[in-house]
Amino acid sequence: MAGADARLRAAVVGTGLIGGSVLLRLHAAGLDVTGWDPDGATRRRAREIGVPTVERLVDAVADRDVVFLCGPLPTLPATLVEVAAATAEDCLLTDVGSTKAELAAFAAAQGLTHRFVPGHPMAGTDRAGLTAALPDLFHDAAWVLCPAPGPGLTAFRRLAALVMDVFAARVVPMAADRHDAVVALASHVPHLLAGALAGAAERSPLRDAVLALAAGSFSDGTRVAGTPPERTANMLLGNRAEVLAALDSVTAVLDELATALRAGDRAALTARHAEGRDARLALAGRPTVEVRRTFPPAGGDEELRFLHELGAAGGYLDGCRSTGDGVEYSARRLPAEPGDRPAAPLG
Ligand SMILES: O=C(O)C(=O)C[C@]1(C(=O)O)C=C[C@@H](O)C=C1
């Protein structure tokens, strides 16, 4: 752990796959951390494998400096209210849910933006539960944090530093509604498509032979169809409008592909696939440039604009340091201006 304060006391509420991974990493980093899960069997399992866990939510969070809310999406608003009431005013709160706009608006209505920073680590597996948790799950993953204006910026800085130092994740600052539009195409529609492909195979009279011959393409394209269906439904219903819009954009491409195929139009078919290949190849890493910015202690609109623009343009933070008179961010972004020097790949 580079700069995070090892004396920080943390709590994790909900110790399934993601919460369990958060808990294991905080524990491994030497922080004083307690976990709590509503499921008694999960709490027992946690104790068996040496994960610090208590029996009552209030005991897990009462004296903490930071609390990670990691339960299922529909439970988050009520848990936020309960945890906020059980913690001190300077205790940071964050979540790991896969949609952000509704919860951010709820937190604002509850008057919690000064200490609740909506979050979303972009990592997971198709497995579930504490036994599937991995302490290094978030290493080098994008971790979205949604900064709010005013005192919310101070909370954002504290949490961003913790996420980078303890989890070695890339912090992507982003407004909550922008996040939801982006993950619709980056995460939610892929779950729909994987489900559709696997579902079509399941319904096919050729099912058994299809599964017998399925190799890399089928297996890669359907991996997340193995996710617990309740979790996928929560995710899709939590971001309904954006998922439907993103699905329309995929349907438009599918229609173009089908039209080209029907017409035997090789040029159109090749052009559509070349387009997709460009995006796929860019996934492997693009050159980035380093950016350094400092802001005064109180933060303000300029800092918020810098953070929102960075995330919206595909950049991320890789450092956040308190200086005597404010904060210094180091960040990486895709080169935009002539004269920018490409550096390490954006993973
Ligand atoms: O890798 C996987 O298994 C995942 O589904 C992880 C994944 C995704 O890539 O869509 C799923 C949900 C999250 O909120 C973030 C990441």
Side-chain angles (χ1 to χ4, degrees):
M1 188 170 57
D5 186 347
R7 290 163 305 180
L8 270 183
R9 292 157 304 176
V12 178
V13 174
T15 56
L17 170 71
I18 301 296
S21 300
V22 169
L23 180 63
L24 289 177
R25 181 65 211 136
L26 290 165
H27 188 49
L31 268 74
D32 172 358
V33 58
T34 51
W36 178 81
D37 194 278
D39 177 45
T42 300
R43 295 196 299 270
R44 272 194 301 285
R45 181 76 192 122
R47 272 192 296 275
E48 277 161 26
I49 61 175
V51 173
T53 306
V54 294
E55 280 302 302
R56 296 190 325 145
L57 169 64
V58 62
D59 297 331
V61 303
D63 61 347
R64 303 284 109 177
D65 303 304
V66 55
V67 179
F68 292 80
L69 309 179
C70 304
L73 270 178
T75 66
L76 290 176
T79 311
L80 176 62
V81 169
E82 196 177 350
V83 171
T87 48
E89 264 300 296
D90 61 352
C91 171
L92 273 180
L93 308 172
T94 188
D95 77 304
V96 298
S98 61
T99 63
K100 299 273 63 89
E102 269 184 29
L103 190 61
F106 177 81
Q110 297 290 319
L112 288 170
T113 46
H114 62 293
R115 65 186 182 112
F116 174 66
V117 184
H120 182 197
M122 294 306 300
T125 73
D126 46 359
R127 300 187 56 211
L130 178 62
T131 49
L134 304 164
D136 291 332
L137 185 62
F138 310 109
H139 190 103
D140 207 30
W143 189 314
V144 177
L145 293 177
C146 305
L153 271 177
T154 312
F156 170 85
R157 293 172 184 175
R158 288 172 61 201
L159 198 65
L162 179 73
V163 165
M164 286 183 270
D165 288 347
V166 172
F167 297 93
R170 293 178 277 121
V171 167
V172 179
M174 203 175 266
D177 50 358
R178 167 83 61 150
H179 163 277
D180 287 3
V182 173
V183 294
L185 199 53
S187 173
H188 299 165
V189 167
H191 282 74
L192 273 180
L193 295 179
L197 180 56
E202 181 64 25
R203 281 188 197 170
S204 168
L206 304 175
R207 174 191 190 269
D208 292 341
V210 167
L211 297 183
L213 298 197
S217 53
F218 186 89
S219 185
D220 290 351
T222 59
R223 184 180 60 81
V224 291
T227 304
E230 259 312 302
R231 197 162 84 201
T232 305
N234 285 340
M235 203 162 75
L236 299 174
L237 289 168
N239 197 19
R240 212 148 31 129
E242 294 295 356
V243 174
L244 287 170
L247 190 57
D248 283 346
S249 71
V250 176
T251 308
V253 178
L254 275 177
D255 285 345
E256 286 175 33
L257 284 165
T259 304
L261 191 57
R262 226 172 270 121
D265 183 345
R266 174 179 295 273
L269 208 51
T270 309
R272 293 290 76 76
H273 276 285
E275 213 176 43
R277 188 165 186 262
D278 285 348
R280 172 66 202 186
L281 293 179
L283 254 190
R286 286 171 289 171
T288 59
V289 290
E290 184 174 4
V291 184
R292 277 183 192 278
R293 288 292 299 270
T294 52
F295 295 96
D301 290 349
E302 210 185 320
E303 181 176 348
L304 199 60
R305 203 172 319 116
F306 161 72
L307 293 168
H308 280 161
E309 284 176 5
L310 178 72
Y316 62 93
L317 296 174
D318 65 0
C320 170
R321 195 173 62 85
S322 291
T323 60
D325 52 0
V327 66
E328 181 186 52
Y329 292 112
S330 64
R332 305 207 73 92
R333 64 168 173 75
L334 300 174
E337 294 140 27
D340 278 336
R341 262 187 312 116
L346 180 68

